[in-house]
Amino acid sequence: MKKFEFRDKSVIFAQDSRRHKRRRRSLDSMAEHNDLGKWGEAEASRYLESKGYAILDRDWRFGKRDLDIVALSEDACTMVVVEVKTRASDDMRAPEEAVDIRKMRNLAVAANAYVKGHAVAQELRFDIISIVGSPSKIERIDHLVDAFNPLLVL
């Protein structure tokens, strides 16, 4: 009987070991994903600055919601909330397609808190910047100006 229990436990330990390795691999890929996202946000900020925008905030948080970039347009009349989507390739789907209705609602809630907390008087606009590439090579940067109106999805 003891032999059976021992074997049983060793099987469990082997399964735990495999789970741990899978979890470690997924954590590593998550870290790479986060690094790519941070790189994309930095590239998007540089892109916006080159177009005359003033960056007011990056990665601004309101609870679990966040605004990737908050900027002032080149004419200083519009505050622009920019959602940045970065992908190593667009084989599966274009990065901007990842901004769904749920994400738009979260952006609207966070933007509302930002506007109230910073007493913003300018008009508000929501843009999406999609970046395809990596730090070694940017394949594409697309800037979708006035990409969506959150009042239509709330």
Side-chain angles (χ1 to χ4, degrees):
M1 187 74 169
K2 285 188 183 230
K3 190 174 186 180
F4 178 74
E5 287 177 20
F6 178 78
R7 199 149 94 221
D8 221 23
K9 288 179 183 176
S10 68
V11 170
I12 291 170
F13 291 144
Q15 288 172 347
D16 287 345
S17 177
R18 282 193 299 267
R19 254 188 245 127
H20 178 71
K21 287 178 184 175
R22 270 194 302 249
R23 185 169 179 248
R24 182 71 188 145
R25 274 194 300 262
S26 68
L27 290 175
D28 290 344
S29 68
M30 184 182 283
E32 290 171 15
H33 173 77
N34 290 341
D35 290 345
L36 186 66
K38 293 296 178 197
W39 168 80
E41 288 176 18
E43 286 301 319
S45 292
R46 281 193 278 283
Y47 170 84
L48 290 169
E49 287 173 333
S50 75
K51 300 293 183 190
Y53 289 72
I55 306 300
L56 302 176
D57 267 308
R58 280 185 49 193
D59 202 23
W60 186 84
R61 296 203 169 278
F62 178 67
K64 64 180 179 178
R65 299 172 174 100
D66 75 320
L67 303 176
D68 291 339
I69 299 173
V70 180
L72 202 55
S73 64
E74 60 276 3
D75 62 4
C77 293
T78 307
M79 188 185 89
V80 184
V81 174
V82 182
E83 177 64 13
V84 180
K85 289 296 175 188
T86 309
R87 298 285 185 273
S89 71
D90 59 357
D91 292 342
M92 298 299 274
R93 68 177 181 173
E96 63 273 12
E97 292 173 7
V99 182
D100 58 10
I101 289 175
R102 183 176 175 204
K103 181 64 176 176
M104 290 177 199
R105 284 186 187 133
N106 284 334
L107 289 168
V109 169
N112 184 49
Y114 188 94
V115 166
K116 288 179 178 178
H118 291 82
V120 173
Q122 291 89 352
E123 289 184 27
L124 185 61
R125 185 179 84 206
F126 292 83
D127 292 2
I128 299 172
I129 292 183
S130 69
I131 299 175
V132 177
S134 65
S136 61
K137 182 184 177 197
I138 298 173
E139 293 178 28
R140 192 178 82 233
I141 296 179
D142 291 326
H143 183 184
L144 304 172
V145 176
D146 207 7
F148 64 90
N149 181 344
L151 294 176
L152 299 177
V153 296
L154 289 176

